[in-house]
């Protein structure tokens, strides 16, 4: 181990619910030269706090809600172990089982932390006990990853043990873990992991709403390979300029890497990673078509594109660069998103036809509203043919029977990806003790032909 390299503490608060992502991330850290430890049966918060003071990487995977993260399972009583964000006045924890990130001495205790992962619901939001993004930045953490909404972890997948299910959040973090071992930056690894998750399942499960912050000038540009302690804080990102197509870019490096477990391949297939002089990185399939591309958004300056203009720019780019796309595809998402502080990005997503019809396929583009540049693009394929024999009511009834719930608010959406399915969501709202409530939502995929549960995941 090189001098100055801290060990990577990978901490898991949810028992078996996320053991695959912890295992994947721990293995990835070890392969990059870190002395990595993963805990899959919960961790006392005092231990987690001490772990963070001695880690280059600290990852938490599980129940959260804005300013709190449970480091040991349990949303119902005062035995919950909680890491909270805190403010600069929180010097001593008011509870024995709650610690605050702001208890670290600024730029001392966590100054060598290269990456903090807060893989739980709403961890990029603020709450009564502070803001994780601001707390991590104020303490000198180079890069911190949070999420602006709900995120889903696997509970079961048909025919697979819970402890080994590589589905939803587990698959996302296994792919992130793989990409960082190739030398990809935090932002590129996250972008590619979201593409890979959609390729596999047709849904990003909330993991596409990541927010990157940190003390480094370019927290999204932080890399984990080679292993090391904190990185220089003065590395400024170079924003991507607008381009009309990939033939306009100048390749400077090309490598082969492991592609996603998608529907257009029988197993994991190699893809080509291309790095360009313009700062755009993109991946192509073996047939030469674009799988995804990642650029860098601006973080300051005047916004020049309206929402409509951003959508139109995205559509023009997709029409020119995605084989098979046409204007009759259904627009399913058109909204502002943010991945780094100061960006102004519009996310636009299309499917080939209405949900629940044959030939489902998805294209997502994110446009910088200052420059019109594409900062993210993915073009994923689904393989199933629509066959809906069950009604909406049938699907909801089947889901309720599986989870034993009659009170939660339930909805069902028809979808076709690897299978023709109903995606049923049951939302119980916030549960747990009053000062530590977390979202309690389950999502089930129900086979639209016979009611079989294809997967079950939870926040």
């Amino acid at each position: 181990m090189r001098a100055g390299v801290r060990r990577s503490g990978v901490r898991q608060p949810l028992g078996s619910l996320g053991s695959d992502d912890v295992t994947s991330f721990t293995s990835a850290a070890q392969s990059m030269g870190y002395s990595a430890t993963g805990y899959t049966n919960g961790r006392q918060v005092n231990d987690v706090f001490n772990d963070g003071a001695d880690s280059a990487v600290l990852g938490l995977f599980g129940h959260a809600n804005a300013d709190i993260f449970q480091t040991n399972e349990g949303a119902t009583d005062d035995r919950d172990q909680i890491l909270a964000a805190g403010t600069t006045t929180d010097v001593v924890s008011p509870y024995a089982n709650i610690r605050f990130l702001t208890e670290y001495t600024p730029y001392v205790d966590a100054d060598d932390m290269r990456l903090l992962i807060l893989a739980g619901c709403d961890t990029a939001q603020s709450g009564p006990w502070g803001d994780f993004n601001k707390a991590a930045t104020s303490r000198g953490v180079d890069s911190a990853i949070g999420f602006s909404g709900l995120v889903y972890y696997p509970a079961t997948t048909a025919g697979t043990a819970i402890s080994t299910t590589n589905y939803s959040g587990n698959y996302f973090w296994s792919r992130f873990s793989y990409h960082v071992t190739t030398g990809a930056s935090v932002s590129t690894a996250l972008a590619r992991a979201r593409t890979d998750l959609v390729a596999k399942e047709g849904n990003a499960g909330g993991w596409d709403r990541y927010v990157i912050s940190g003390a480094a000038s370019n927290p999204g540009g932080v890399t984990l390979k080679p292993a090391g302690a904190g990185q220089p804080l003065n590395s400024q990102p170079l924003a991507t300029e607008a381009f009309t197509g990939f033939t306009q870019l100048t390749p400077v490096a090309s490598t082969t890497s492991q592609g996603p477990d998608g529907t257009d391949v029988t197993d994991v297939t190699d893809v080509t990673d291309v790095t360009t002089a313009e700062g755009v990185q993109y991946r192509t399939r073996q047939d030469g078509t674009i799988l995804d591309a990642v650029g860098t958004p601006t973080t300051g300056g005047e916004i020049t594109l309206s929402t409509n203009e951003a959508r139109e720019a995205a559509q023009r780019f997709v029409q020119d660069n995605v084989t098979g796309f046409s204007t009759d595809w259904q627009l399913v998402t058109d909204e502002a998103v943010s991945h780094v502080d100061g960006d102004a990005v519009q996310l636009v997503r299309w499917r080939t036809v209405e949900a629940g019809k044959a030939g489902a396929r998805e294209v997502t583009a994110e446009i910088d509203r200052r420059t019109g540049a594409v900062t993210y693009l993915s073009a994923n394929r689904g393989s199933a043919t629509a066959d809906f024999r069950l009604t909406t009511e049938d699907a909801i009834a089947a889901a309720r029977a599986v989870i034993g719930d009659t009170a939660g608010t339930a909805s069902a959406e028809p979808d076709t990806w690897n299978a023709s399915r109903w995606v049923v969501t049951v939302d119980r709202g916030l549960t747990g003790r009053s000062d530590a409530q977390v979202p309690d939502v389950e999502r089930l995929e129900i086979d639209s032909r016979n009611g079989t549960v294809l997967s079950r995941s939870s926040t």
Side-chain angles (χ1 to χ4, degrees):
M1 187 165 65
R2 295 190 307 160
V5 176
R6 301 277 183 165
R7 66 184 175 87
S8 169
V10 182
R11 319 300 175 193
Q12 157 63 325
L14 272 187
S16 62
L17 267 184
S19 59
D20 191 80
D21 52 21
V22 172
T23 301
S24 298
F25 195 68
T26 303
S27 298
Q30 290 171 341
S31 73
M32 291 183 288
Y34 294 93
S35 174
T37 306
Y39 298 92
T40 59
N41 291 309
R43 188 78 165 150
Q44 297 295 298
V45 69
N46 284 330
D47 293 330
V48 170
F49 185 84
N50 293 330
D51 293 337
D54 192 31
S55 294
V57 180
L58 181 67
L60 301 176
F61 303 84
H63 287 318
N65 184 15
D67 53 345
I68 60 173
F69 206 115
Q70 291 184 321
T71 65
N72 205 347
E73 186 175 6
T76 57
D77 56 42
D78 58 7
R79 292 175 295 178
D80 299 340
Q81 300 289 313
I82 297 171
L83 180 68
T87 67
T88 55
T89 60
D90 296 318
V91 178
V92 179
S93 168
Y95 302 102
N97 59 344
I98 297 178
R99 299 298 298 268
F100 292 93
L101 273 182
T102 50
E103 291 182 66
Y104 291 131
T105 302
Y107 287 87
V108 175
D109 297 329
D111 187 44
D112 281 335
M113 190 181 294
R114 183 175 275 192
L115 178 64
L116 172 65
I117 298 174
L118 297 164
C121 296
D122 299 320
T123 50
Q125 306 289 351
S126 298
W129 285 347
D131 183 311
F132 276 120
N133 292 334
K134 293 179 180 178
T137 300
S138 72
R139 267 46 194 170
V141 176
D142 290 359
S143 183
I145 302 170
F147 292 86
S148 61
L150 301 183
V151 293
Y152 285 88
Y153 279 96
T156 60
T157 299
T160 307
I162 295 175
S163 61
T164 59
T165 295
N166 196 15
Y167 180 86
S168 191
N170 277 359
Y171 187 70
F172 177 86
W173 288 110
S174 71
R175 295 304 294 163
F176 174 84
S177 301
Y178 168 74
H179 292 307
V180 293
T181 64
T182 68
S185 67
V186 167
S187 61
T188 298
L190 288 169
R192 289 180 172 176
R194 70 189 268 196
T195 299
D196 295 351
L197 179 56
V198 174
K200 182 174 186 288
E201 298 173 11
N203 192 302
W207 297 105
D208 55 342
R209 302 311 171 94
Y210 52 82
V211 178
I212 309 169
S213 58
S217 296
N218 181 14
V222 168
T223 60
L224 303 186
K225 182 182 180 179
Q231 292 185 299
L233 303 182
N234 58 359
S235 175
Q236 294 288 344
L238 183 64
T240 299
E241 296 183 2
F243 63 102
T244 59
F246 294 95
T247 57
Q248 212 180 335
L249 304 176
T250 309
V252 295
S254 178
T255 60
T256 300
S257 67
Q258 183 188 77
D261 183 9
T263 57
D264 54 338
V265 294
T266 56
D267 198 355
V268 175
T269 300
D270 289 344
V271 296
T272 301
D273 302 343
V274 180
T275 300
T276 70
E278 293 77 11
V280 177
Q281 300 177 64
Y282 62 90
R283 292 188 293 173
T284 63
R285 300 179 180 88
Q286 291 183 340
D287 62 5
T289 57
I290 297 293
L291 172 61
D292 67 352
V294 184
T296 303
T298 57
T299 55
E302 181 184 358
I303 295 175
T304 61
L305 297 181
S306 67
T307 298
N308 288 339
E309 289 170 333
R311 181 179 63 253
E312 291 167 1
Q315 181 168 302
R316 286 194 301 271
F317 188 91
V318 171
Q319 279 184 274
D320 292 342
N321 292 278
V322 176
T323 303
F325 177 81
S326 67
T327 55
D328 62 355
W329 286 26
Q330 183 185 21
L331 179 67
V332 294
T333 308
D334 184 12
E335 61 187 50
V337 297
S338 178
H339 298 300
V340 296
D341 186 34
D343 64 0
V345 176
Q346 192 76 13
L347 182 151
V348 189
R349 178 179 294 121
W350 293 270
R351 295 289 287 261
T352 54
V353 288
E354 293 181 6
K357 298 291 184 65
R361 195 173 163 199
E362 181 181 81
V363 174
T364 299
E366 290 183 353
I367 300 292
D368 188 328
R369 289 183 56 195
R370 294 186 177 96
T371 64
V374 173
T375 57
Y376 174 75
L377 174 76
S378 69
N380 278 306
R381 301 171 180 173
S383 62
T385 300
D387 184 1
F388 284 80
R389 305 176 194 176
L390 301 183
T391 65
T392 303
E393 292 73 20
D394 292 335
I396 292 176
R400 288 195 184 278
V402 170
I403 65 177
D405 180 280
T406 59
T409 302
S411 61
E413 293 291 335
D415 192 36
T416 307
W417 195 256
N418 299 327
S420 184
R421 64 196 182 185
W422 286 97
V423 180
V424 180
T425 302
V426 180
D427 188 348
R428 304 181 185 90
L430 297 178
T431 62
R433 58 193 176 103
S434 60
D435 56 351
Q437 290 187 319
V438 295
D440 185 3
V441 184
E442 290 199 67
R443 189 181 67 196
L444 292 84
E445 293 179 357
I446 305 295
D447 191 308
S448 61
R449 301 165 299 175
N450 54 29
T452 300
V453 177
L454 301 172
S455 71
R456 177 180 174 184
S457 57
S458 59
T459 61

